[in-house]
Structure formats: C-alpha cells, structure tokens
Coordinates of all heavy atoms in Angstrom, one line a residue:
M1 N -85.4 -23.6 9.6 CA -84.6 -22.6 10.3 C -85.3 -21.9 11.4 O -86.5 -21.5 11.2 CB -84.1 -21.6 9.3 CG -83.1 -20.6 9.9 SD -82.1 -19.9 8.6 CE -82.4 -18.2 8.7
A2 N -84.7 -21.8 12.6 CA -85.4 -21.2 13.7 C -85.5 -19.7 13.5 O -84.6 -19.1 13.0 CB -84.6 -21.5 15.0
R3 N -86.6 -19.2 14.0 CA -86.9 -17.8 13.9 C -86.6 -17.2 15.3 O -86.9 -17.8 16.3 CB -88.3 -17.5 13.5 CG -88.5 -18.0 12.0 CD -89.8 -17.6 11.5 NE -89.8 -16.2 11.3 CZ -90.9 -15.5 11.0 NH1 -92.1 -16.1 10.9 NH2 -90.8 -14.2 10.8
T4 N -86.0 -16.0 15.3 CA -85.7 -15.3 16.6 C -86.9 -14.4 17.0 O -87.7 -14.1 16.1 CB -84.5 -14.5 16.5 OG1 -84.8 -13.4 15.6 CG2 -83.3 -15.3 16.0
P5 N -87.0 -14.0 18.2 CA -88.1 -13.1 18.6 C -88.0 -11.8 17.8 O -89.0 -11.2 17.4 CB -87.8 -12.8 20.1 CG -87.1 -14.1 20.6 CD -86.3 -14.5 19.4
A6 N -86.8 -11.3 17.4 CA -86.6 -10.1 16.6 C -87.2 -10.3 15.3 O -87.9 -9.4 14.7 CB -85.2 -9.7 16.5
D7 N -87.1 -11.5 14.7 CA -87.7 -11.8 13.4 C -89.2 -11.8 13.5 O -89.9 -11.3 12.6 CB -87.3 -13.2 12.9 CG -85.8 -13.3 12.6 OD1 -85.2 -12.3 12.2 OD2 -85.3 -14.5 12.6
L8 N -89.7 -12.4 14.5 CA -91.2 -12.5 14.7 C -91.9 -11.1 14.8 O -93.0 -11.0 14.3 CB -91.5 -13.3 15.9 CG -91.1 -14.8 15.8 CD1 -91.3 -15.5 17.2 CD2 -91.9 -15.5 14.7
V9 N -91.2 -10.1 15.4 CA -91.8 -8.8 15.5 C -91.4 -7.9 14.4 O -91.8 -6.7 14.4 CB -91.6 -8.2 16.9 CG1 -92.2 -9.0 18.0 CG2 -90.1 -7.9 17.1
G10 N -90.5 -8.3 13.5 CA -90.1 -7.5 12.4 C -89.1 -6.4 12.8 O -89.0 -5.3 12.2
A11 N -88.4 -6.7 13.9 CA -87.4 -5.7 14.4 C -86.3 -5.5 13.4 O -85.8 -6.4 12.8 CB -86.9 -6.1 15.8
Q12 N -85.8 -4.3 13.4 CA -84.6 -3.9 12.6 C -83.6 -3.3 13.5 O -83.3 -2.1 13.4 CB -85.0 -3.1 11.4 CG -85.9 -3.7 10.5 CD -86.3 -2.9 9.3 OE1 -86.3 -1.6 9.4 NE2 -86.7 -3.5 8.2
P13 N -82.9 -4.1 14.3 CA -82.0 -3.5 15.3 C -80.7 -3.0 14.6 O -80.4 -3.4 13.5 CB -81.6 -4.7 16.2 CG -81.9 -5.9 15.4 CD -83.0 -5.5 14.4
D14 N -80.0 -2.1 15.3 CA -78.7 -1.6 14.8 C -77.8 -2.8 14.8 O -78.0 -3.8 15.4 CB -78.2 -0.5 15.7 CG -79.0 0.8 15.6 OD1 -79.6 1.0 14.5 OD2 -79.0 1.6 16.5
P15 N -76.6 -2.6 14.1 CA -75.7 -3.7 14.0 C -75.1 -4.1 15.3 O -75.0 -3.2 16.2 CB -74.6 -3.2 13.0 CG -75.0 -1.9 12.6 CD -76.2 -1.4 13.4
P16 N -74.7 -5.4 15.5 CA -74.0 -5.8 16.7 C -72.7 -5.1 16.8 O -72.1 -4.5 15.9 CB -73.8 -7.3 16.5 CG -74.5 -7.7 15.3 CD -74.8 -6.4 14.5
F17 N -72.2 -5.0 18.1 CA -70.9 -4.4 18.4 C -70.1 -5.4 19.3 O -70.6 -6.4 19.6 CB -71.0 -3.0 18.9 CG -71.8 -2.9 20.2 CD1 -71.3 -3.1 21.4 CD2 -73.2 -2.6 20.1 CE1 -72.0 -3.0 22.6 CE2 -74.0 -2.5 21.2 CZ -73.4 -2.7 22.5
E18 N -69.0 -5.0 19.7 CA -68.1 -5.9 20.5 C -67.7 -5.2 21.8 O -67.4 -4.0 21.9 CB -66.9 -6.2 19.7 CG -66.2 -7.5 20.1 CD -65.1 -7.9 19.0 OE1 -65.5 -8.6 18.1 OE2 -64.0 -7.5 19.2
I19 N -67.6 -6.1 22.9 CA -67.0 -5.8 24.1 C -66.0 -6.9 24.4 O -65.9 -7.8 23.6 CB -68.0 -5.7 25.3 CG1 -68.7 -7.0 25.5 CG2 -69.1 -4.6 25.0 CD1 -69.7 -7.0 26.7
T20 N -65.3 -6.8 25.5 CA -64.4 -7.9 25.8 C -64.7 -8.3 27.3 O -65.1 -7.5 28.1 CB -62.9 -7.5 25.7 OG1 -62.6 -6.5 26.7 CG2 -62.5 -7.1 24.3
F21 N -64.5 -9.6 27.5 CA -64.6 -10.2 28.8 C -63.2 -10.9 29.1 O -62.9 -11.9 28.4 CB -65.7 -11.2 28.9 CG -65.7 -11.9 30.2 CD1 -66.0 -11.3 31.4 CD2 -65.4 -13.3 30.3 CE1 -65.9 -12.0 32.6 CE2 -65.3 -14.0 31.5 CZ -65.6 -13.3 32.6
D22 N -62.5 -10.4 30.0 CA -61.2 -11.0 30.4 C -60.3 -11.2 29.1 O -59.6 -12.2 28.9 CB -61.3 -12.3 31.1 CG -61.8 -12.1 32.5 OD1 -61.7 -11.0 33.0 OD2 -62.2 -13.1 33.2
G23 N -60.4 -10.1 28.2 CA -59.6 -10.1 27.0 C -60.2 -10.9 25.8 O -59.7 -10.8 24.7
R24 N -61.4 -11.6 26.1 CA -62.0 -12.3 25.0 C -63.1 -11.5 24.3 O -63.9 -10.9 25.0 CB -62.6 -13.6 25.7 CG -63.7 -14.3 24.8 CD -64.2 -15.5 25.7 NE -65.4 -16.0 25.1 CZ -66.2 -16.9 25.6 NH1 -65.8 -17.5 26.7 NH2 -67.3 -17.3 25.0
P25 N -63.1 -11.4 23.0 CA -64.2 -10.6 22.4 C -65.6 -11.2 22.6 O -65.7 -12.5 22.5 CB -63.8 -10.6 20.9 CG -62.8 -11.7 20.7 CD -62.2 -12.0 22.1
V26 N -66.6 -10.4 22.8 CA -67.9 -10.8 23.0 C -68.8 -9.9 22.1 O -68.8 -8.7 22.2 CB -68.4 -10.7 24.5 CG1 -69.9 -11.0 24.6 CG2 -67.6 -11.6 25.4
V27 N -69.6 -10.6 21.3 CA -70.5 -9.8 20.4 C -71.8 -9.4 21.2 O -72.4 -10.3 21.9 CB -70.9 -10.7 19.2 CG1 -71.9 -9.9 18.3 CG2 -69.6 -11.0 18.4
V28 N -72.2 -8.2 21.0 CA -73.4 -7.7 21.8 C -74.4 -7.2 20.8 O -74.1 -6.5 19.8 CB -73.0 -6.5 22.7 CG1 -74.2 -5.9 23.4 CG2 -71.9 -6.9 23.6
L29 N -75.7 -7.5 21.0 CA -76.8 -6.9 20.2 C -77.2 -5.6 20.9 O -77.3 -5.6 22.1 CB -78.0 -7.9 20.2 CG -77.7 -9.3 19.5 CD1 -78.9 -10.2 19.6 CD2 -77.3 -9.0 18.0
P30 N -77.5 -4.6 20.1 CA -77.9 -3.3 20.7 C -79.0 -3.5 21.7 O -80.0 -4.2 21.4 CB -78.3 -2.5 19.5 CG -77.6 -3.1 18.4 CD -77.5 -4.6 18.7
G31 N -78.9 -2.9 22.9 CA -79.9 -3.0 23.9 C -79.6 -4.0 25.0 O -80.3 -4.1 26.0
Q32 N -78.7 -4.9 24.7 CA -78.4 -5.9 25.7 C -77.6 -5.3 26.9 O -76.8 -4.4 26.8 CB -77.5 -7.1 25.1 CG -78.3 -8.0 24.3 CD -77.4 -9.2 23.8 OE1 -76.3 -9.0 23.4 NE2 -78.0 -10.4 23.9
T33 N -77.9 -5.9 28.1 CA -77.1 -5.5 29.3 C -75.8 -6.3 29.2 O -75.7 -7.3 28.4 CB -77.8 -5.9 30.6 OG1 -78.0 -7.3 30.6 CG2 -79.1 -5.2 30.7
V34 N -74.9 -6.0 30.1 CA -73.6 -6.7 30.1 C -73.9 -8.2 30.4 O -73.3 -9.1 29.8 CB -72.7 -6.1 31.1 CG1 -71.5 -7.0 31.4 CG2 -72.2 -4.7 30.7
A35 N -74.8 -8.4 31.4 CA -75.1 -9.8 31.8 C -75.7 -10.6 30.6 O -75.3 -11.7 30.3 CB -76.0 -9.9 33.0
A36 N -76.6 -10.0 29.9 CA -77.3 -10.6 28.7 C -76.2 -11.0 27.7 O -76.3 -12.0 27.0 CB -78.4 -9.8 28.2
A37 N -75.3 -10.0 27.4 CA -74.3 -10.3 26.4 C -73.4 -11.4 26.8 O -73.0 -12.3 26.0 CB -73.5 -9.0 26.2
L38 N -73.0 -11.5 28.1 CA -72.1 -12.5 28.6 C -72.8 -13.9 28.5 O -72.3 -14.9 28.0 CB -71.6 -12.3 30.0 CG -70.7 -11.0 30.2 CD1 -70.3 -10.8 31.6 CD2 -69.5 -11.1 29.3
W39 N -74.1 -13.9 28.9 CA -74.9 -15.2 28.8 C -75.0 -15.6 27.4 O -74.8 -16.8 27.1 CB -76.3 -14.9 29.4 CG -76.4 -15.3 30.8 CD1 -75.5 -15.7 31.7 CD2 -77.7 -15.4 31.5 NE1 -76.0 -16.0 32.9 CE2 -77.4 -15.9 32.8 CE3 -79.0 -15.2 31.2 CZ2 -78.3 -16.1 33.8 CZ3 -80.0 -15.4 32.1 CH2 -79.7 -15.8 33.4
G40 N -75.2 -14.6 26.5 CA -75.3 -15.0 25.1 C -74.1 -15.6 24.5 O -74.1 -16.3 23.5
A41 N -73.0 -15.3 25.1 CA -71.7 -15.8 24.7 C -71.3 -17.1 25.4 O -70.2 -17.6 25.3 CB -70.6 -14.8 24.9
G42 N -72.2 -17.6 26.3 CA -72.0 -18.8 27.0 C -71.2 -18.6 28.3 O -70.7 -19.6 28.8
I43 N -71.0 -17.4 28.7 CA -70.3 -17.1 29.9 C -71.3 -17.0 31.1 O -72.1 -16.1 31.1 CB -69.5 -15.8 29.8 CG1 -68.5 -15.9 28.6 CG2 -68.7 -15.4 31.1 CD1 -67.9 -14.6 28.1
L44 N -71.2 -17.8 32.0 CA -72.2 -17.9 33.1 C -71.7 -17.4 34.4 O -72.4 -17.1 35.4 CB -72.7 -19.3 33.3 CG -73.3 -20.0 32.0 CD1 -73.7 -21.4 32.3 CD2 -74.4 -19.1 31.4
A45 N -70.4 -17.2 34.6 CA -69.8 -16.7 35.9 C -68.8 -15.6 35.6 O -67.9 -15.8 34.7 CB -69.2 -17.8 36.6
W46 N -68.8 -14.5 36.3 CA -67.8 -13.4 36.1 C -67.5 -12.7 37.4 O -67.1 -11.6 37.5 CB -68.4 -12.4 35.1 CG -69.8 -11.9 35.4 CD1 -70.1 -10.9 36.3 CD2 -71.0 -12.4 34.8 NE1 -71.5 -10.8 36.3 CE2 -72.0 -11.7 35.4 CE3 -71.3 -13.4 33.8 CZ2 -73.4 -11.9 35.0 CZ3 -72.6 -13.6 33.5 CH2 -73.6 -12.9 34.1
R47 N -67.7 -13.5 38.5 CA -67.3 -12.9 39.8 C -67.0 -14.1 40.7 O -67.5 -15.2 40.5 CB -68.5 -12.2 40.4 CG -68.3 -11.7 41.9 CD -69.4 -10.8 42.3 NE -70.6 -11.6 42.8 CZ -70.8 -12.0 44.0 NH1 -69.8 -11.9 44.9 NH2 -71.9 -12.7 44.3
T48 N -66.1 -13.9 41.7 CA -65.9 -14.9 42.7 C -66.3 -14.4 44.1 O -66.2 -13.2 44.3 CB -64.5 -15.4 42.8 OG1 -63.6 -14.3 43.1 CG2 -64.0 -16.0 41.5
T49 N -66.8 -15.2 45.0 CA -67.3 -14.8 46.3 C -66.1 -14.4 47.2 O -65.0 -15.0 47.0 CB -68.1 -15.8 47.0 OG1 -67.3 -17.0 47.1 CG2 -69.4 -16.1 46.1
R50 N -66.3 -13.5 48.2 CA -65.3 -13.2 49.1 C -64.9 -14.4 50.0 O -63.7 -14.6 50.2 CB -65.8 -12.1 50.0 CG -65.8 -10.7 49.4 CD -66.4 -9.7 50.2 NE -67.9 -9.9 50.2 CZ -68.7 -9.1 50.9 NH1 -68.3 -8.1 51.6 NH2 -70.0 -9.3 50.8
G51 N -65.8 -15.2 50.4 CA -65.5 -16.3 51.2 C -65.5 -17.6 50.3 O -66.6 -18.0 49.9
G52 N -64.4 -18.1 50.0 CA -64.3 -19.4 49.3 C -64.0 -19.2 47.8 O -63.7 -20.2 47.2
G53 N -64.2 -18.0 47.3 CA -63.9 -17.8 45.9 C -64.7 -18.6 44.9 O -64.3 -19.0 43.9
R54 N -66.0 -18.8 45.3 CA -66.9 -19.6 44.5 C -67.4 -18.7 43.3 O -67.6 -17.5 43.5 CB -68.0 -20.1 45.3 CG -67.6 -21.2 46.3 CD -68.7 -21.8 47.1 NE -69.5 -20.7 47.8 CZ -69.1 -20.4 49.1 NH1 -68.1 -21.0 49.7 NH2 -69.8 -19.5 49.7
P55 N -67.7 -19.3 42.1 CA -68.1 -18.5 41.0 C -69.5 -18.1 41.1 O -70.4 -18.8 41.6 CB -68.0 -19.6 39.8 CG -68.1 -20.9 40.5 CD -67.5 -20.7 41.9
R56 N -69.8 -16.8 40.6 CA -71.1 -16.3 40.6 C -71.3 -15.6 39.2 O -70.4 -15.1 38.6 CB -71.3 -15.3 41.7 CG -71.4 -15.9 43.1 CD -72.6 -16.7 43.3 NE -72.8 -17.3 44.6 CZ -72.3 -18.4 45.0 NH1 -71.6 -19.2 44.2 NH2 -72.5 -18.8 46.3
G57 N -72.6 -15.5 38.8 CA -73.0 -14.7 37.6 C -74.4 -14.1 37.9 O -74.7 -13.8 39.0
A58 N -75.2 -14.1 36.9 CA -76.6 -13.5 37.1 C -77.5 -14.6 37.8 O -77.4 -15.8 37.5 CB -77.2 -13.1 35.8
F59 N -78.3 -14.1 38.7 CA -79.3 -15.0 39.4 C -80.7 -14.4 39.2 O -81.5 -15.0 38.6 CB -78.9 -15.1 40.9 CG -79.9 -15.9 41.7 CD1 -79.9 -17.3 41.4 CD2 -80.7 -15.4 42.6 CE1 -80.8 -18.1 42.1 CE2 -81.6 -16.2 43.3 CZ -81.6 -17.5 43.1
C60 N -80.9 -13.2 39.7 CA -82.3 -12.7 39.6 C -82.5 -12.0 38.2 O -83.6 -12.0 37.7 CB -82.6 -11.7 40.7 SG -81.8 -10.1 40.6
G61 N -81.5 -11.3 37.7 CA -81.6 -10.6 36.5 C -82.3 -9.3 36.5 O -82.6 -8.7 35.5
I62 N -82.7 -8.9 37.7 CA -83.5 -7.6 37.9 C -82.9 -6.7 38.9 O -83.6 -5.8 39.4 CB -85.0 -7.9 38.2 CG1 -85.1 -8.7 39.5 CG2 -85.6 -8.6 37.0 CD1 -86.5 -8.9 40.0
G63 N -81.6 -6.8 39.3 CA -81.0 -5.8 40.1 C -81.3 -6.0 41.6 O -81.1 -5.1 42.4
Q64 N -81.7 -7.2 42.0 CA -82.1 -7.4 43.5 C -81.1 -8.2 44.3 O -80.9 -8.0 45.5 CB -83.4 -8.0 43.6 CG -84.5 -7.2 43.0 CD -84.7 -5.9 43.7 OE1 -84.9 -5.8 44.9 NE2 -84.6 -4.8 43.0
C65 N -80.4 -9.1 43.6 CA -79.6 -10.1 44.4 C -78.1 -9.8 44.5 O -77.4 -10.3 45.4 CB -79.7 -11.5 43.8 SG -78.9 -11.7 42.2
F66 N -77.6 -9.0 43.6 CA -76.2 -8.6 43.6 C -75.2 -9.7 43.3 O -74.0 -9.6 43.4 CB -75.7 -7.9 44.9 CG -76.4 -6.6 45.1 CD1 -77.7 -6.5 45.6 CD2 -75.7 -5.4 44.8 CE1 -78.2 -5.2 45.8 CE2 -76.2 -4.2 45.0 CZ -77.5 -4.1 45.5
D67 N -75.7 -10.8 42.8 CA -74.9 -11.9 42.4 C -74.0 -11.6 41.2 O -73.0 -12.2 40.9 CB -75.7 -13.2 42.1 CG -75.6 -14.2 43.3 OD1 -75.2 -13.8 44.4 OD2 -76.0 -15.3 43.1
C68 N -74.5 -10.7 40.4 CA -73.9 -10.4 39.0 C -72.8 -9.3 39.0 O -72.5 -8.9 38.0 CB -75.0 -10.0 38.1 SG -75.8 -8.4 38.4
L69 N -72.4 -9.0 40.2 CA -71.4 -7.9 40.2 C -70.2 -8.2 39.3 O -69.7 -9.3 39.3 CB -70.9 -7.7 41.7 CG -71.9 -7.2 42.7 CD1 -71.3 -7.1 44.1 CD2 -72.6 -5.9 42.2
A70 N -69.8 -7.2 38.6 CA -68.6 -7.3 37.7 C -67.8 -6.0 37.7 O -68.3 -5.0 38.2 CB -69.2 -7.6 36.2
T71 N -66.6 -6.2 37.2 CA -65.8 -5.0 37.0 C -66.0 -4.5 35.6 O -65.7 -5.2 34.6 CB -64.3 -5.3 37.3 OG1 -64.2 -5.7 38.7 CG2 -63.4 -4.1 37.1
V72 N -66.5 -3.3 35.4 CA -66.8 -2.7 34.1 C -66.0 -1.5 33.9 O -66.1 -0.5 34.6 CB -68.3 -2.4 34.0 CG1 -68.6 -1.8 32.6 CG2 -69.2 -3.6 34.2
N73 N -65.1 -1.6 32.9 CA -64.2 -0.5 32.6 C -63.4 0.0 33.8 O -63.2 1.2 34.1 CB -64.9 0.7 32.0 CG -65.6 0.3 30.7 OD1 -65.1 -0.4 29.9 ND2 -66.8 0.8 30.4
G74 N -63.0 -1.0 34.6 CA -62.1 -0.8 35.7 C -62.9 -0.4 37.0 O -62.2 -0.2 38.1
V75 N -64.2 -0.3 37.0 CA -65.0 0.0 38.1 C -65.6 -1.3 38.7 O -66.5 -1.9 38.0 CB -66.1 1.0 37.8 CG1 -66.9 1.4 39.0 CG2 -65.5 2.3 37.2
P76 N -65.2 -1.7 39.9 CA -65.8 -3.0 40.4 C -67.2 -2.7 41.0 O -67.6 -1.5 41.2 CB -64.8 -3.4 41.5 CG -64.2 -2.1 42.0 CD -64.2 -1.2 40.7
G77 N -67.9 -3.8 41.2 CA -69.2 -3.7 41.9 C -70.4 -3.2 41.1 O -71.4 -2.8 41.6
R78 N -70.3 -3.3 39.8 CA -71.4 -2.9 38.9 C -72.3 -4.1 38.7 O -71.8 -5.2 38.5 CB -70.8 -2.5 37.5 CG -69.8 -1.3 37.5 CD -70.4 0.0 37.9 NE -71.7 0.4 37.4 CZ -71.8 1.0 36.2 NH1 -70.8 1.3 35.5 NH2 -73.0 1.2 35.7
R79 N -73.6 -3.9 38.8 CA -74.5 -5.0 38.6 C -74.7 -5.2 37.1 O -75.4 -4.4 36.4 CB -75.9 -4.6 39.2 CG -75.8 -4.9 40.7 CD -77.1 -4.5 41.4 NE -77.2 -3.1 41.5 CZ -78.2 -2.4 42.0 NH1 -79.3 -3.1 42.5 NH2 -78.2 -1.1 42.1
A80 N -74.1 -6.3 36.6 CA -74.1 -6.5 35.1 C -75.5 -6.7 34.5 O -75.7 -6.4 33.4 CB -73.3 -7.8 34.9
C81 N -76.5 -7.1 35.3 CA -77.8 -7.2 34.8 C -78.5 -5.9 34.6 O -79.6 -5.9 33.9 CB -78.7 -8.1 35.7 SG -79.2 -7.4 37.3
L82 N -77.9 -4.8 35.1 CA -78.5 -3.5 34.9 C -77.7 -2.6 34.0 O -78.2 -1.5 33.6 CB -78.7 -2.8 36.3 CG -79.6 -3.5 37.3 CD1 -79.7 -2.7 38.6 CD2 -81.0 -3.7 36.7
V83 N -76.5 -2.9 33.7 CA -75.6 -2.0 33.0 C -75.8 -2.3 31.5 O -75.4 -3.4 31.0 CB -74.1 -2.2 33.4 CG1 -73.2 -1.4 32.6 CG2 -73.9 -2.0 34.9
P84 N -76.2 -1.3 30.7 CA -76.3 -1.5 29.3 C -74.9 -1.6 28.7 O -74.0 -0.8 29.0 CB -77.0 -0.2 28.8 CG -77.6 0.4 30.0 CD -76.8 0.0 31.1
A85 N -74.7 -2.6 27.9 CA -73.4 -2.8 27.2 C -73.2 -1.6 26.2 O -74.1 -1.3 25.5 CB -73.3 -4.1 26.6
Q86 N -71.9 -1.1 26.2 CA -71.6 -0.1 25.2 C -70.4 -0.5 24.4 O -69.5 -1.3 24.9 CB -71.2 1.2 26.0 CG -72.2 1.8 26.9 CD -73.4 2.3 26.1 OE1 -73.3 2.8 25.0 NE2 -74.6 2.1 26.7
P87 N -70.3 -0.1 23.2 CA -69.2 -0.6 22.3 C -67.8 -0.3 23.0 O -67.6 0.8 23.5 CB -69.3 0.3 21.1 CG -70.8 0.6 21.0 CD -71.2 0.8 22.4
G88 N -67.0 -1.3 23.0 CA -65.7 -1.2 23.6 C -65.6 -1.4 25.1 O -64.5 -1.3 25.6
D89 N -66.7 -1.7 25.7 CA -66.6 -1.9 27.2 C -65.6 -3.1 27.5 O -65.5 -4.0 26.7 CB -68.0 -2.3 27.7 CG -68.9 -1.2 28.0 OD1 -68.4 0.0 28.0 OD2 -70.1 -1.4 28.3
V90 N -64.9 -2.9 28.6 CA -63.9 -3.9 29.0 C -64.5 -4.5 30.3 O -64.5 -3.8 31.4 CB -62.5 -3.3 29.2 CG1 -61.6 -4.3 29.8 CG2 -62.0 -2.7 27.9
I91 N -64.9 -5.7 30.3 CA -65.4 -6.4 31.4 C -64.4 -7.4 31.9 O -63.8 -8.1 31.1 CB -66.7 -7.2 31.1 CG1 -67.6 -6.4 30.2 CG2 -67.4 -7.7 32.4 CD1 -68.1 -5.1 30.8
T92 N -64.1 -7.4 33.3 CA -63.2 -8.3 33.8 C -63.8 -9.0 35.0 O -64.7 -8.5 35.7 CB -61.9 -7.6 34.2 OG1 -62.2 -6.5 35.1 CG2 -61.1 -7.2 33.0
T93 N -63.4 -10.2 35.2 CA -63.8 -11.0 36.4 C -63.5 -10.2 37.7 O -62.4 -9.7 37.8 CB -63.1 -12.4 36.5 OG1 -63.5 -13.1 35.3 CG2 -63.5 -13.1 37.7
Q94 N -64.5 -10.2 38.6 CA -64.3 -9.5 39.8 C -64.0 -10.5 40.9 O -64.8 -11.4 41.2 CB -65.6 -8.7 40.2 CG -65.5 -8.0 41.5 CD -66.6 -7.0 41.8 OE1 -67.0 -6.2 40.9 NE2 -67.1 -7.0 43.0
E95 N -62.9 -10.3 41.5 CA -62.5 -11.2 42.6 C -62.9 -10.6 43.9 O -62.6 -9.4 44.3 CB -60.9 -11.3 42.7 CG -60.3 -11.7 41.3 CD -60.6 -13.2 41.0 OE1 -60.9 -13.9 41.9 OE2 -60.4 -13.5 39.8
G96 N -63.7 -11.3 44.7 CA -64.2 -10.9 46.0 C -65.0 -9.6 45.9 O -65.9 -9.5 45.0
H97 N -64.7 -8.5 46.7 CA -65.4 -7.3 46.6 C -64.9 -6.3 45.6 O -65.3 -5.2 45.4 CB -65.5 -6.6 48.0 CG -64.2 -6.5 48.7 ND1 -63.1 -6.0 48.1 CD2 -63.9 -6.8 49.9 CE1 -62.1 -6.0 49.0 NE2 -62.5 -6.5 50.1
G98 N -63.9 -6.8 44.8 CA -63.3 -5.9 43.7 C -62.2 -5.0 44.1 O -61.7 -4.3 43.2
H99 N -61.9 -5.0 45.4 CA -60.8 -4.1 45.8 C -59.6 -4.9 46.4 O -58.8 -4.3 47.2 CB -61.3 -3.1 46.8 CG -62.3 -2.2 46.3 ND1 -62.1 -1.1 45.4 CD2 -63.7 -2.1 46.4 CE1 -63.2 -0.5 45.1 NE2 -64.2 -1.1 45.7
D100 N -59.6 -6.2 46.1 CA -58.6 -7.0 46.7 C -57.1 -6.5 46.5 O -56.3 -6.6 47.4 CB -58.7 -8.5 46.2 CG -59.9 -9.2 46.7 OD1 -60.6 -8.6 47.6 OD2 -60.2 -10.3 46.3
R101 N -56.9 -6.0 45.3 CA -55.5 -5.5 45.0 C -55.1 -4.3 45.9 O -54.0 -4.0 46.0 CB -55.4 -5.2 43.5 CG -56.1 -4.0 43.1 CD -55.9 -3.7 41.6 NE -56.5 -2.5 41.1 CZ -57.8 -2.4 40.8 NH1 -58.5 -3.5 40.8 NH2 -58.3 -1.3 40.4
L102 N -56.1 -3.6 46.5 CA -55.8 -2.5 47.3 C -55.6 -2.9 48.8 O -55.2 -2.1 49.6 CB -57.0 -1.5 47.3 CG -57.4 -0.9 45.9 CD1 -58.6 -0.1 46.1 CD2 -56.2 -0.2 45.4
G103 N -55.8 -4.2 49.1 CA -55.7 -4.7 50.4 C -56.8 -4.2 51.4 O -56.6 -4.2 52.6
A104 N -57.9 -3.7 50.8 CA -59.0 -3.2 51.6 C -59.9 -4.2 52.1 O -60.0 -5.3 51.5 CB -59.8 -2.2 50.8
Ligands
FES201 S1 -78.6 -10.8 38.7 FE1 -79.4 -10.2 40.6 S2 -78.7 -8.1 40.8 FE2 -78.0 -8.7 38.8

C-alpha cells in the first residue's frame, strides 16, 4: 500500500471538507488551495480565455501567471493557486474576464 507524504511525517490533519465546482462536490484536505483541491479531484481547467475561449487552469502554481483565475463565491478573477479553500466554497468556471454577463 502506497504511503502518502502526510503518513511519512506522522501528520494528523483535521478532517477533509467539501467545496463545489460547477455544482460538483470536491473533497478538500485542510490547507489545500482551491487549485490544489481541483487538481486533486482531476479537474485541470476552470477558466476560458477571452480570445478563443480556450481552457486554462493552474500553470505556475505560485501566483505569477494568472492562468488559474476562477470565480470563487461569485467573485471572478481570484487566483485559485493562492486562495485557501474553505468549507462550502462555491467555485465556478470563469468565462473570459469574469464579467461577460455584465457586457463589460
Ligand atoms: S497558477 Fe499561476 S497565478 Fe495561479
């Protein structure tokens, strides 16, 4: 049986909790960012580009590239690689710059 890094260091993390991505439940380990939680669930893209609507997700993972922008609890433009996931967070795919429905 494979051992996890948490097993190897004897960590005793708090219990997992749940967020949703486009209505789908996603299990989060305490301390994970939104991007880490989505990756852990096999979700690799949560934004589309303004030009062409191409899929994007995390690229740098350290807050430098802005590829990971997501809509978190109704607020667009959040860098998912920097936002700690909180129980009950509602993450939705961000279309373009996140204000398309406003016609901005
Ligand atoms: S993945 Fe580059 S800013 Fe988040």
Side-chain angles (χ1 to χ4, degrees):
M1 181 156 122
R3 298 186 69 192
T4 68
D7 292 336
L8 294 172
V9 298
Q12 297 180 333
D14 289 335
F17 57 88
E18 201 169 273
I19 63 176
T20 62
F21 171 70
D22 287 347
R24 163 184 165 184
V26 172
V27 175
V28 180
L29 298 176
Q32 284 187 312
T33 63
V34 168
L38 295 178
W39 264 10
I43 300 165
L44 304 181
W46 50 83
R47 173 173 84 84
T48 59
T49 59
R50 284 174 284 183
R54 293 183 299 272
R56 291 290 184 271
F59 180 67
C60 73
I62 57 172
Q64 297 298 305
C65 73
F66 292 81
D67 259 12
C68 66
L69 296 179
T71 299
V72 178
N73 299 322
V75 179
R78 303 293 314 275
R79 282 178 284 179
C81 71
L82 298 181
V83 177
Q86 302 293 327
D89 276 349
V90 176
I91 316 302
T92 51
T93 295
Q94 178 169 317
E95 307 288 341
H97 48 49
H99 298 285
D100 289 354
R101 70 178 183 277
L102 301 177

